[in-house]
Short mmCIF file of all heavy atoms in Angstrom, two decimals:
data_model
loop_
_atom_site.label_atom_id
_atom_site.label_comp_id
_atom_site.label_asym_id
_atom_site.label_seq_id
_atom_site.Cartn_x
_atom_site.Cartn_y
_atom_site.Cartn_z
N ILE L 1312 -104.91 21.49 -34.47
CA ILE L 1312 -105.03 21.91 -33.07
C ILE L 1312 -104.86 23.42 -32.94
O ILE L 1312 -105.62 24.08 -32.22
CB ILE L 1312 -103.99 21.17 -32.19
CG1 ILE L 1312 -104.30 19.67 -32.17
CG2 ILE L 1312 -104.00 21.74 -30.77
CD1 ILE L 1312 -103.24 18.85 -31.43
N PHE L 1313 -103.89 23.97 -33.64
CA PHE L 1313 -103.68 25.42 -33.58
C PHE L 1313 -104.87 26.18 -34.15
O PHE L 1313 -105.31 27.19 -33.58
CB PHE L 1313 -102.41 25.81 -34.35
CG PHE L 1313 -101.14 25.61 -33.56
CD1 PHE L 1313 -100.11 24.83 -34.07
CD2 PHE L 1313 -100.97 26.21 -32.32
CE1 PHE L 1313 -98.94 24.65 -33.36
CE2 PHE L 1313 -99.80 26.03 -31.59
CZ PHE L 1313 -98.78 25.24 -32.11
N ILE L 1314 -105.41 25.72 -35.28
CA ILE L 1314 -106.57 26.39 -35.89
C ILE L 1314 -107.75 26.38 -34.93
O ILE L 1314 -108.38 27.41 -34.68
CB ILE L 1314 -106.95 25.72 -37.22
CG1 ILE L 1314 -105.89 26.03 -38.29
CG2 ILE L 1314 -108.32 26.20 -37.70
CD1 ILE L 1314 -106.09 25.26 -39.58
N VAL L 1315 -108.06 25.20 -34.38
CA VAL L 1315 -109.19 25.09 -33.45
C VAL L 1315 -108.94 25.93 -32.21
O VAL L 1315 -109.83 26.65 -31.73
CB VAL L 1315 -109.42 23.61 -33.06
CG1 VAL L 1315 -110.46 23.50 -31.95
CG2 VAL L 1315 -109.85 22.79 -34.27
N GLY L 1316 -107.71 25.86 -31.69
CA GLY L 1316 -107.39 26.61 -30.48
C GLY L 1316 -107.49 28.11 -30.66
O GLY L 1316 -108.07 28.82 -29.82
N PHE L 1317 -106.96 28.62 -31.78
CA PHE L 1317 -107.01 30.06 -32.04
C PHE L 1317 -108.43 30.54 -32.35
O PHE L 1317 -108.85 31.61 -31.90
CB PHE L 1317 -106.08 30.43 -33.20
CG PHE L 1317 -104.61 30.38 -32.84
CD1 PHE L 1317 -103.70 29.75 -33.69
CD2 PHE L 1317 -104.14 30.98 -31.68
CE1 PHE L 1317 -102.35 29.72 -33.37
CE2 PHE L 1317 -102.79 30.95 -31.35
CZ PHE L 1317 -101.89 30.31 -32.20
N LYS L 1318 -109.16 29.76 -33.12
CA LYS L 1318 -110.49 30.21 -33.57
C LYS L 1318 -111.57 30.07 -32.49
O LYS L 1318 -112.61 30.71 -32.57
CB LYS L 1318 -110.94 29.44 -34.83
CG LYS L 1318 -110.01 29.63 -36.02
CD LYS L 1318 -109.55 31.07 -36.18
CE LYS L 1318 -108.17 31.17 -36.75
NZ LYS L 1318 -107.60 32.52 -36.62
N THR L 1319 -111.31 29.23 -31.49
CA THR L 1319 -112.25 29.11 -30.37
C THR L 1319 -111.81 29.97 -29.18
O THR L 1319 -112.44 29.92 -28.13
CB THR L 1319 -112.37 27.65 -29.91
OG1 THR L 1319 -111.09 27.18 -29.49
CG2 THR L 1319 -112.91 26.77 -31.03
N ASN L 1320 -110.72 30.71 -29.38
CA ASN L 1320 -110.15 31.53 -28.31
C ASN L 1320 -109.64 30.72 -27.14
O ASN L 1320 -109.43 31.25 -26.04
CB ASN L 1320 -111.15 32.57 -27.82
CG ASN L 1320 -111.45 33.61 -28.88
OD1 ASN L 1320 -110.56 34.03 -29.63
ND2 ASN L 1320 -112.71 34.02 -28.96
N LEU L 1321 -109.43 29.41 -27.36
CA LEU L 1321 -108.82 28.59 -26.32
C LEU L 1321 -107.36 29.00 -26.13
O LEU L 1321 -106.84 29.02 -25.01
CB LEU L 1321 -108.90 27.10 -26.70
CG LEU L 1321 -108.29 26.10 -25.71
CD1 LEU L 1321 -109.04 26.15 -24.38
CD2 LEU L 1321 -108.31 24.69 -26.30
N PHE L 1322 -106.70 29.33 -27.26
CA PHE L 1322 -105.33 29.83 -27.23
C PHE L 1322 -105.33 31.32 -27.49
O PHE L 1322 -106.04 31.79 -28.38
CB PHE L 1322 -104.46 29.16 -28.30
CG PHE L 1322 -104.36 27.67 -28.19
CD1 PHE L 1322 -104.07 26.91 -29.32
CD2 PHE L 1322 -104.53 27.01 -26.98
CE1 PHE L 1322 -103.96 25.54 -29.24
CE2 PHE L 1322 -104.43 25.64 -26.88
CZ PHE L 1322 -104.14 24.89 -28.02
N PRO L 1323 -104.54 32.08 -26.78
CA PRO L 1323 -104.41 33.52 -27.10
C PRO L 1323 -103.57 33.70 -28.36
O PRO L 1323 -102.78 32.83 -28.72
CB PRO L 1323 -103.68 34.08 -25.87
CG PRO L 1323 -102.89 32.93 -25.35
CD PRO L 1323 -103.73 31.70 -25.60
N GLU L 1324 -103.75 34.82 -29.03
CA GLU L 1324 -103.02 35.06 -30.27
C GLU L 1324 -101.51 35.10 -30.08
O GLU L 1324 -100.75 34.83 -31.00
CB GLU L 1324 -103.48 36.39 -30.92
CG GLU L 1324 -104.84 36.32 -31.57
CD GLU L 1324 -105.17 37.58 -32.34
OE1 GLU L 1324 -104.27 38.45 -32.47
OE2 GLU L 1324 -106.30 37.71 -32.82
N ASP L 1325 -101.09 35.44 -28.85
CA ASP L 1325 -99.65 35.55 -28.60
C ASP L 1325 -99.04 34.27 -28.05
O ASP L 1325 -97.94 34.29 -27.48
CB ASP L 1325 -99.37 36.71 -27.65
CG ASP L 1325 -99.97 36.49 -26.26
OD1 ASP L 1325 -100.80 35.56 -26.11
OD2 ASP L 1325 -99.61 37.25 -25.34
N LEU L 1326 -99.73 33.13 -28.22
CA LEU L 1326 -99.23 31.86 -27.68
C LEU L 1326 -97.82 31.56 -28.20
O LEU L 1326 -96.92 31.23 -27.42
CB LEU L 1326 -100.17 30.72 -28.07
CG LEU L 1326 -99.68 29.30 -27.72
CD1 LEU L 1326 -99.68 29.12 -26.21
CD2 LEU L 1326 -100.56 28.24 -28.38
N LEU L 1327 -97.62 31.67 -29.51
CA LEU L 1327 -96.34 31.30 -30.10
C LEU L 1327 -95.22 32.24 -29.67
O LEU L 1327 -94.13 31.81 -29.31
CB LEU L 1327 -96.44 31.26 -31.63
CG LEU L 1327 -97.52 30.32 -32.20
CD1 LEU L 1327 -97.47 30.34 -33.72
CD2 LEU L 1327 -97.31 28.90 -31.68
N THR L 1328 -95.51 33.53 -29.69
CA THR L 1328 -94.48 34.51 -29.29
C THR L 1328 -94.18 34.41 -27.80
O THR L 1328 -93.04 34.61 -27.38
CB THR L 1328 -94.91 35.94 -29.64
OG1 THR L 1328 -96.21 36.18 -29.09
CG2 THR L 1328 -94.97 36.13 -31.15
N SER L 1329 -95.20 34.11 -27.00
CA SER L 1329 -95.00 34.02 -25.55
C SER L 1329 -94.06 32.87 -25.18
O SER L 1329 -93.36 32.92 -24.16
CB SER L 1329 -96.33 33.81 -24.83
OG SER L 1329 -97.17 34.94 -24.97
N SER L 1330 -94.05 31.82 -25.99
CA SER L 1330 -93.24 30.64 -25.68
C SER L 1330 -91.75 30.88 -25.91
O SER L 1330 -90.92 30.07 -25.47
CB SER L 1330 -93.67 29.47 -26.56
OG SER L 1330 -93.29 29.68 -27.90
N SER L 1331 -91.40 31.95 -26.62
CA SER L 1331 -90.01 32.26 -27.01
C SER L 1331 -89.47 31.31 -28.07
O SER L 1331 -88.37 31.50 -28.59
CB SER L 1331 -89.05 32.24 -25.80
OG SER L 1331 -89.43 33.22 -24.86
N LEU L 1332 -90.24 30.26 -28.41
CA LEU L 1332 -89.79 29.30 -29.43
C LEU L 1332 -89.81 29.92 -30.83
O LEU L 1332 -89.02 29.55 -31.70
CB LEU L 1332 -90.68 28.06 -29.41
CG LEU L 1332 -90.49 27.13 -28.20
CD1 LEU L 1332 -91.59 26.08 -28.16
CD2 LEU L 1332 -89.12 26.47 -28.26
N LEU L 1333 -90.74 30.86 -31.04
CA LEU L 1333 -90.84 31.51 -32.35
C LEU L 1333 -89.56 32.30 -32.63
O LEU L 1333 -89.01 32.24 -33.74
CB LEU L 1333 -92.05 32.43 -32.39
CG LEU L 1333 -92.56 32.87 -33.77
CD1 LEU L 1333 -92.90 31.67 -34.64
CD2 LEU L 1333 -93.77 33.77 -33.61
N ALA L 1334 -89.09 33.00 -31.63
CA ALA L 1334 -87.84 33.76 -31.79
C ALA L 1334 -86.67 32.82 -32.03
O ALA L 1334 -85.79 33.10 -32.84
CB ALA L 1334 -87.59 34.61 -30.54
N LEU L 1335 -86.69 31.68 -31.34
CA LEU L 1335 -85.63 30.68 -31.55
C LEU L 1335 -85.64 30.19 -32.99
O LEU L 1335 -84.60 30.11 -33.64
CB LEU L 1335 -85.82 29.50 -30.59
CG LEU L 1335 -84.91 28.29 -30.83
CD1 LEU L 1335 -83.46 28.65 -30.55
CD2 LEU L 1335 -85.35 27.10 -29.96
N GLY L 1336 -86.83 29.87 -33.51
CA GLY L 1336 -86.95 29.36 -34.87
C GLY L 1336 -86.45 30.35 -35.89
O GLY L 1336 -85.75 30.00 -36.84
N GLN L 1337 -86.80 31.63 -35.69
CA GLN L 1337 -86.37 32.67 -36.63
C GLN L 1337 -84.85 32.87 -36.58
O GLN L 1337 -84.23 33.23 -37.58
CB GLN L 1337 -87.09 33.98 -36.31
CG GLN L 1337 -88.58 33.91 -36.62
CD GLN L 1337 -89.37 35.04 -35.99
OE1 GLN L 1337 -88.93 35.66 -35.02
NE2 GLN L 1337 -90.56 35.31 -36.51
N THR L 1338 -84.25 32.57 -35.43
CA THR L 1338 -82.81 32.72 -35.27
C THR L 1338 -82.05 31.59 -35.97
O THR L 1338 -81.01 31.82 -36.58
CB THR L 1338 -82.42 32.74 -33.78
OG1 THR L 1338 -83.09 33.83 -33.14
CG2 THR L 1338 -80.92 32.89 -33.60
N VAL L 1339 -82.58 30.37 -35.87
CA VAL L 1339 -81.81 29.21 -36.33
C VAL L 1339 -82.23 28.68 -37.70
O VAL L 1339 -81.70 27.66 -38.15
CB VAL L 1339 -81.90 28.05 -35.30
CG1 VAL L 1339 -81.37 28.50 -33.95
CG2 VAL L 1339 -83.34 27.54 -35.17
N ILE L 1340 -83.16 29.36 -38.39
CA ILE L 1340 -83.61 28.86 -39.69
C ILE L 1340 -82.44 28.73 -40.66
O ILE L 1340 -82.35 27.77 -41.43
CB ILE L 1340 -84.72 29.77 -40.27
CG1 ILE L 1340 -85.18 29.25 -41.63
CG2 ILE L 1340 -84.27 31.22 -40.36
CD1 ILE L 1340 -85.81 27.91 -41.61
N GLY L 1341 -81.52 29.69 -40.64
CA GLY L 1341 -80.35 29.61 -41.52
C GLY L 1341 -79.49 28.40 -41.20
O GLY L 1341 -78.93 27.76 -42.10
N MET L 1342 -79.42 28.05 -39.91
CA MET L 1342 -78.63 26.88 -39.51
C MET L 1342 -79.25 25.60 -40.06
O MET L 1342 -78.54 24.67 -40.47
CB MET L 1342 -78.55 26.81 -37.98
CG MET L 1342 -77.81 27.98 -37.35
SD MET L 1342 -77.67 27.77 -35.56
CE MET L 1342 -76.83 29.30 -35.13
N LEU L 1343 -80.58 25.54 -40.08
CA LEU L 1343 -81.24 24.36 -40.63
C LEU L 1343 -80.91 24.21 -42.11
O LEU L 1343 -80.69 23.10 -42.61
CB LEU L 1343 -82.76 24.48 -40.46
CG LEU L 1343 -83.57 23.38 -41.17
CD1 LEU L 1343 -83.31 22.03 -40.52
CD2 LEU L 1343 -85.06 23.69 -41.16
N ILE L 1344 -80.85 25.33 -42.82
CA ILE L 1344 -80.57 25.27 -44.25
C ILE L 1344 -79.14 24.77 -44.50
O ILE L 1344 -78.90 23.97 -45.40
CB ILE L 1344 -80.80 26.64 -44.91
CG1 ILE L 1344 -82.28 27.01 -44.79
CG2 ILE L 1344 -80.37 26.64 -46.36
CD1 ILE L 1344 -82.60 28.40 -45.24
N VAL L 1345 -78.19 25.22 -43.69
CA VAL L 1345 -76.83 24.69 -43.79
C VAL L 1345 -76.85 23.19 -43.53
O VAL L 1345 -76.20 22.39 -44.23
CB VAL L 1345 -75.88 25.39 -42.80
CG1 VAL L 1345 -74.50 24.73 -42.82
CG2 VAL L 1345 -75.76 26.87 -43.14
N HIS L 1346 -77.60 22.78 -42.50
CA HIS L 1346 -77.73 21.36 -42.15
C HIS L 1346 -78.28 20.56 -43.34
O HIS L 1346 -77.77 19.48 -43.66
CB HIS L 1346 -78.67 21.22 -40.96
CG HIS L 1346 -79.07 19.81 -40.64
ND1 HIS L 1346 -78.21 18.90 -40.07
CD2 HIS L 1346 -80.25 19.16 -40.84
CE1 HIS L 1346 -78.83 17.75 -39.91
NE2 HIS L 1346 -80.06 17.87 -40.38
N ILE L 1347 -79.30 21.09 -44.01
CA ILE L 1347 -79.86 20.41 -45.18
C ILE L 1347 -78.79 20.26 -46.27
O ILE L 1347 -78.70 19.22 -46.92
CB ILE L 1347 -81.07 21.20 -45.72
CG1 ILE L 1347 -82.24 21.12 -44.72
CG2 ILE L 1347 -81.52 20.65 -47.07
CD1 ILE L 1347 -83.41 22.01 -45.07
N GLY L 1348 -77.98 21.29 -46.43
CA GLY L 1348 -76.90 21.21 -47.41
C GLY L 1348 -75.93 20.08 -47.09
O GLY L 1348 -75.44 19.40 -48.00
N THR L 1349 -75.66 19.86 -45.79
CA THR L 1349 -74.72 18.79 -45.42
C THR L 1349 -75.33 17.40 -45.54
O THR L 1349 -74.63 16.40 -45.37
CB THR L 1349 -74.20 18.99 -43.98
OG1 THR L 1349 -75.28 18.84 -43.04
CG2 THR L 1349 -73.56 20.35 -43.81
N MET L 1350 -76.62 17.32 -45.82
CA MET L 1350 -77.25 16.03 -46.08
C MET L 1350 -76.94 15.52 -47.49
O MET L 1350 -77.14 14.35 -47.79
CB MET L 1350 -78.77 16.14 -45.92
CG MET L 1350 -79.28 16.38 -44.53
SD MET L 1350 -81.09 16.53 -44.56
CE MET L 1350 -81.45 16.61 -42.82
#
Side-chain angles (χ1 to χ4, degrees):
I1312 295 174
F1313 279 125
I1314 289 172
V1315 172
F1317 286 134
K1318 299 318 148 193
T1319 60
N1320 293 323
L1321 180 63
F1322 300 155
E1324 286 187 7
D1325 64 347
L1326 173 69
L1327 303 183
T1328 52
S1329 294
S1330 70
S1331 299
L1332 288 170
L1333 197 57
L1335 171 66
Q1337 292 165 339
T1338 301
V1339 301
I1340 180 63
M1342 296 183 182
L1343 173 67
I1344 296 173
V1345 174
H1346 171 73
I1347 292 172
T1349 65
M1350 292 178 173

